[in-house]
Amino acid sequence: MSQHTIVAMIHDRPGAIRRTVSHLDRRGFAFGTLAIGRCQTTGAGRMTLAVEATHAARIMQHLGELEDVIGVSDASLWMRMEEVRARDGLTDFRDQADGVPHHEAA
């Protein structure tokens, strides 16, 4: 079965992760993997979930309704685009016509 990777930015406060995971558990959602860590953004944590594609939209909706959640995104599309770019040897779309990578131009 196809999986999606959902990333939720969560307020970094006591119990926020527990409440968020418990909310999904009470609704019967299962996830293959769960990774939690701090973000570069002060006061926020990141929760990354691998879920079945059939449940991704509903899980994102439920996460978006929670007070502890700052934002939710489906990273699967971005990840697939990166895989295609790497496979096909594509350069960054911002590269200039003269072949100078965007991070070297200026």
Side-chain angles (χ1 to χ4, degrees), residues 5-105:
T5 301
I6 295 175
V7 178
M9 301 295 286
I10 299 176
H11 288 289
D12 187 7
R13 52 186 171 207
I17 297 292
R18 181 190 51 77
R19 285 188 296 272
T20 303
V21 172
S22 293
H23 177 82
L24 295 176
D25 185 50
R26 283 192 307 272
R27 276 143 189 82
F29 291 119
F31 33 89
T33 59
L34 170 66
I36 301 167
R38 294 197 187 273
C39 293
Q40 292 177 343
T41 306
T42 304
R46 179 187 348 231
M47 183 170 73
T48 306
L49 301 155
V51 300
E52 290 184 15
T54 55
H55 301 294
R58 287 184 44 225
I59 289 173
M60 289 179 64
Q61 178 185 1
H62 280 282
L63 287 171
E65 295 171 354
L66 298 176
E67 181 180 321
D68 289 315
V69 177
I70 300 166
V72 182
S73 63
D74 186 341
S76 301
L77 178 60
W78 177 83
M79 291 167 50
R80 282 193 292 273
M81 288 172 52
E82 288 296 312
E83 289 171 3
V84 168
R85 285 183 53 220
R87 180 194 69 213
D88 295 344
L90 300 175
T91 59
D92 192 303
F93 71 93
R94 297 171 291 189
D95 286 353
Q96 298 179 1
D98 63 4
V100 178
H102 73 277
H103 63 277
E104 293 178 10

